[in-house]
Amino acid sequence: MVTGGAPVVALDGPASSGKSSVGAAVAAAFGLRFFDSGLLYRALAFAALDHGVDPADGPAVAALAPSVSVEPGQEGRLERVRIDGRDVSAQVRTHEVDRVVSAVARAPEVRAALLIRQRALAEGGGIVVAGRDIGTVVLPAADVKIWLDASAGERAGRRALERGIDPASAAGQAILDEMRRRDGVDGGRAIAPARPADEAIHVRTDGNTLDQTIAAVVAAVTAGLAAGATLAAGGRTTGGSVIAGGLTTGAEGAER
Ligand code: DC
């Protein structure tokens, strides 16, 4: 293990793939802390809007990073966000922040400033960290790397239902269009694009209930930790593998 016994789990995947709810449940199952790194990007996006700073102005947005802090809420979950001491945990999850956060996250200055913060939060291990580039860039020595994914249609449908919108309506279609746009920006940016690490275990969640996905990720983490222990003991393990979420079988590279 990279951290002398306290495991580090990188849980990456696209928008609305369930990283936050699944990650928190999996962390609780293993007695680990949980941190969703998207919160830091969201906090900076909110701070930019709040200060009248252009979200695409990387240096100006990065200069706001010292004003952001993250604290534990319930059960070791690092979920309370403050800007200059003011609790903005609810404001960072709004539609306005959704619209500009990809632009904030593509700036190299922002990514450099938040890289240090994320590593500091994960120090000491014993944590599940959710994000887009945790396994590839932020914590490349993580003990287990998971890539949680579902088709864009499935993810947009979940997001629509959460907001009380019929996925088949025009508003539902707008959510799908926005999801595809964000996937394009997050996956296509020059620095730390959203992508699975080569050795990541893929968990596809199309058609799953939340409980099925949690069970699939718990199984993947258990398998990943066991494989790491085998490797540490001088054995061999294979590279990335695919675990179909829950009871379904998932094909890689399905429609996005
Ligand atoms: O997961 P989320 O929707 O809360 O993420 C918000 C934005 O932050 C999204 O545009 C991707 C970006 N992000 C990132 O670039 N790297 C991370 N490790 C986490 C999030």
Side-chain angles (χ1 to χ4, degrees):
M1 303 212 174
V2 288
T3 49
V8 172
V9 177
L11 178 63
D12 290 303
S16 291
S17 53
K19 297 183 300 291
S20 200
S21 32
V22 172
V26 170
F30 287 91
L32 303 174
R33 299 179 292 144
F34 177 67
F35 175 55
D36 183 352
S37 61
L39 270 184
L40 284 174
Y41 293 90
R42 291 177 169 275
L44 272 190
F46 176 79
L49 294 173
D50 199 44
H51 286 75
V53 167
D54 176 2
D57 183 343
V61 177
L64 299 170
S67 66
V68 174
S69 61
V70 181
E71 298 160 12
Q74 45 171 339
E75 295 160 11
R77 206 178 150 160
L78 289 155
E79 62 184 356
R80 299 238 69 83
V81 195
R82 291 183 192 276
I83 294 174
D84 290 323
R86 178 174 142 224
D87 190 334
V88 295
S89 307
Q91 287 95 318
V92 301
R93 296 181 171 91
T94 59
H95 186 54
E96 286 68 39
V97 169
D98 274 359
R99 280 205 347 259
V100 302
V101 69
S102 287
V104 165
R106 70 190 296 188
E109 299 83 3
V110 168
R111 301 206 72 85
L114 294 188
L115 184 62
I116 304 163
R117 305 291 300 273
Q118 293 169 84
R119 287 184 178 158
L121 283 161
E123 216 170 280
I127 193 166
V128 176
V129 184
R132 302 287 193 290
D133 61 340
I134 305 303
T136 51
V137 174
V138 179
L139 302 169
D143 299 281
V144 182
K145 300 178 183 181
I146 311 265
W147 181 259
L148 195 62
D149 203 359
S151 66
E154 174 95 6
R155 291 181 284 120
R158 286 181 203 154
R159 175 64 65 94
L161 292 175
E162 268 164 32
R163 293 184 179 168
I165 293 169
D166 175 1
S169 67
Q173 181 63 43
I175 291 176
L176 177 57
D177 292 345
E178 172 67 13
M179 187 76 68
R180 289 197 166 119
R181 187 190 68 79
R182 282 184 61 195
D183 283 354
V185 178
D186 293 340
R189 67 182 173 230
I191 301 193
R195 68 166 182 81
D198 291 343
E199 64 275 39
I201 301 169
H202 292 240
V203 178
R204 292 202 59 92
T205 70
D206 288 81
N208 277 7
T209 63
L210 179 62
D211 283 348
Q212 286 173 326
T213 298
I214 292 167
V217 175
V218 165
V221 171
T222 304
L225 289 175
T230 305
L231 202 63
R236 279 177 59 85
T237 184
T238 53
S241 55
V242 179
I243 291 188
L247 305 174
T248 63
T249 49
E252 276 235 73
E255 181 261 340
R256 285 256 173 141

